[in-house]
Amino acid sequence: MKRSLKEFLRYHVKAKDGPEGKIRDFLFDEESWVVRYIDSDFGKWFSSNRILVPQVYIDEPEWEKKIFPIRL
């Protein structure tokens, strides 16, 4: 199913141990047009605030809750 990346900017990412952040942007492979990283803002949880989450750690989104669970 195709979805707009702009729609996902309202979604959150949630780690297994609880920290939750907001999706800020996406980095994708220019040749294959596949999202490789999610640029996430975790606020005070990390010193740099924004974290690049590799695509391999992203689980199936919870569409109704607007959450991307991540295995980190």
Side-chain angles (χ1 to χ4, degrees):
M1 172 185 289
K2 292 184 182 182
R3 293 190 183 256
S4 169
L5 289 179
K6 286 183 182 181
E7 175 187 345
F8 294 134
L9 295 178
R10 295 184 302 243
Y11 281 50
H12 289 83
V13 289
K14 185 167 182 171
K16 288 169 57 173
D17 60 354
E20 190 171 307
K22 294 187 84 165
I23 294 176
R24 295 293 181 206
D25 208 349
F26 298 90
L27 292 153
F28 61 95
D29 185 324
E30 292 179 6
E31 292 180 16
S32 64
W33 287 83
V34 173
V35 172
R36 296 291 181 202
Y37 298 92
I38 291 179
D39 181 5
S40 304
D41 183 352
F42 282 89
K44 297 177 183 177
W45 279 96
F46 297 98
S47 60
S48 65
N49 294 347
R50 294 178 82 165
I51 305 295
L52 291 178
V53 179
Q55 170 259 343
V56 297
Y57 293 108
I58 302 168
D59 284 335
E60 184 69 27
E62 297 176 17
W63 301 114
E64 290 81 31
K65 295 180 182 179
K66 296 186 176 185
I67 292 176
F68 274 89
I70 55 175
R71 295 183 310 270
L72 292 174

